[in-house]
Amino acid sequence: MRLEWSALARDDLLAIITAIATDKPTAARKFKIEVDARVSVLPAFPEIGKESTRYGVAGLRELVVHTNYVVFYRFDAVRVEIVAVIHAHRKWP
């Protein structure tokens, strides 16, 4: 199984890292490393995240990757797709 990031998820992650790096560049690097480490297990354990009921999207799962940051993803037999990375309190379309 392979891990893929949607364009939206890549943009989300970049925006979060950029915002953190404004004041704390080292913290931004650590955040990126932590997110990468957390999502790297998804191809081996795609059911590790809980089924998401937040947005009514069938098959959507969520995984807390850092304090207050959640990765939303879905998977099938061949891939895990990261759909979005958001702050836990942000509303997602």
Side-chain angles (χ1 to χ4, degrees):
M1 192 177 292
R2 68 184 183 272
L3 181 65
E4 297 178 0
W5 289 74
S6 71
L8 174 64
R10 286 184 191 278
D11 290 348
D12 289 345
L13 185 59
L14 181 59
I16 293 165
I17 291 168
T18 301
I20 295 169
T22 300
D23 295 323
K24 300 176 183 178
T26 301
R29 283 189 294 279
K30 287 181 181 178
F31 175 81
K32 173 69 164 77
I33 290 166
E34 188 172 343
V35 170
D36 286 343
R38 295 282 292 153
V39 301
S40 71
V41 303
L42 290 175
F45 304 101
E47 294 182 1
I48 196 169
K50 72 175 190 169
E51 291 183 29
S52 181
T53 57
R54 292 190 202 202
Y55 304 107
V57 178
L60 193 65
R61 291 182 142 339
E62 57 186 81
L63 179 68
V64 176
V65 292
H66 189 274
T67 305
N68 292 322
Y69 289 96
V70 179
V71 162
F72 289 89
Y73 69 97
R74 57 184 162 218
F75 70 94
D76 58 27
V78 296
R79 72 178 180 149
V80 174
E81 179 188 25
I82 307 295
V83 177
V85 183
I86 67 166
H87 190 279
H89 299 291
R90 187 180 109 192
K91 294 196 180 214
W92 185 52

